[in-house]
Amino acid sequence: MAVNAQYCAFFDFKATEPEMVVSTLKGMMDTGWGKNIQGTKSLFSYQFNGPNQATHSIQFCFQDEVAFANFFTSWSLSTEAQLFGEKLGKFTEGINQALNTPLWYKNDWSNDQAFMIYQLDISDTQAYLNIFKEFTQTMAKKLGFENNSYGIGYPIIGKVKDFTHFVWIGANDVESSLRQTKQMLSDDLFASFSKDAAGIRKVVTTTMMVRVMDF
């Protein structure tokens, strides 16, 4: 989510022809409809996504309800958007749609290129948030990702039964993301954090999300 973004729409899909997805999306975003979207527009790929069949995600992030509502309304009114949407459907299979909102986060994620995503089932949100904030801010300074984005969000619409929240930790590139994750998992602070959170959260899935392009 870009700085101050409060709503991010995720359209997760399985791509049968990724190169056609990119060219079709670029054409869609170059239309009057695409240029008038009052938010960020990005395409991400999922790496090592476990049982989730989604390979990519189109994400639109908005700063307020008005910007999101305008986007939502404009889709049904735009012939251009509908035509490109039909074309996109020839190369993709929709997997999941969700409107997400941040609970707490640090820094602008539009500068990050790779993200570790942890989908969680949390039973006590406030207790987990308190533990998470202290842990991530300390770990960010220790491992050197204090200028990258990290935070916790949840699907406000489109929730699935498997998880209630998701955590992300951004990085400059895939190599940095893997290195930081490996260091974090072997750190004593992580062991202590996991122990404190054990009774209130369950890790459902983990995946890496990589920025393909912004529009």
Side-chain angles (χ1 to χ4, degrees):
M1 295 153 221
V3 169
N4 298 323
Q6 293 301 307
Y7 299 96
C8 277
F10 284 25
F11 296 89
D12 294 345
F13 62 91
K14 180 178 179 180
T16 55
E17 297 183 49
E19 68 283 356
M20 292 301 298
V21 170
V22 171
S23 63
T24 303
L25 280 175
K26 188 177 186 307
M28 179 185 288
M29 298 310 162
D30 284 342
T31 65
W33 173 81
K35 292 178 180 179
N36 286 325
I37 295 174
Q38 300 168 353
T40 61
K41 302 160 286 186
S42 304
L43 173 65
F44 294 88
S45 67
Y46 288 119
Q47 307 294 326
F48 304 101
N49 206 16
N52 190 338
Q53 295 299 306
T55 61
H56 294 77
S57 181
I58 306 170
Q59 300 180 7
F60 303 91
C61 292
F62 308 93
Q63 293 188 352
D64 54 40
E65 295 85 356
V66 173
F68 170 73
N70 288 339
F71 162 78
F72 188 78
T73 302
S74 69
W75 169 260
S76 60
L77 298 177
S78 171
T79 303
E80 291 178 316
Q82 294 294 324
L83 289 174
F84 273 102
E86 291 178 10
K87 183 178 179 181
L88 192 62
K90 297 177 182 178
F91 317 116
T92 63
E93 176 187 347
I95 301 298
N96 189 62
Q97 298 179 15
L99 181 63
N100 301 297
T101 189
L103 182 61
W104 175 87
Y105 67 103
K106 286 281 189 178
N107 304 322
D108 181 1
W109 89 335
S110 66
N111 296 317
D112 294 327
Q113 300 302 308
F115 304 83
M116 286 298 299
I117 307 292
Y118 304 85
Q119 294 179 338
L120 310 174
D121 184 7
I122 298 174
S123 59
D124 189 330
T125 301
Q126 190 58 55
Y128 182 79
L129 178 60
N130 293 338
I131 298 169
F132 175 79
K133 288 168 65 175
E134 180 179 358
F135 165 71
T136 51
Q137 291 178 100
T138 301
M139 187 59 72
K141 292 179 180 178
K142 186 173 184 178
L143 297 185
F145 62 86
E146 65 268 31
N147 293 323
N148 296 105
S149 66
Y150 52 94
I152 180 170
Y154 62 95
I156 192 170
I157 304 174
K159 180 185 177 301
V160 297
K161 65 178 181 179
D162 295 328
F163 69 94
T164 60
H165 297 75
F166 61 92
V167 161
W168 77 89
I169 300 177
N172 297 332
D173 47 50
V174 171
E175 293 85 350
S176 299
S177 182
L178 289 173
R179 182 174 61 253
Q180 292 167 3
T181 301
K182 186 175 181 180
Q183 291 173 338
M184 181 184 72
L185 295 177
S186 62
D187 196 284
D188 290 341
L189 284 175
F190 180 76
S192 178
F193 161 74
S194 296
K195 182 178 179 181
D196 292 341
I200 56 176
R201 75 98 169 88
K202 172 185 174 184
V203 178
V204 178
T205 60
T206 61
T207 186
M208 177 178 283
M209 191 172 70
V210 180
R211 189 184 301 277
V212 176
M213 65 186 304
D214 298 316
F215 301 97

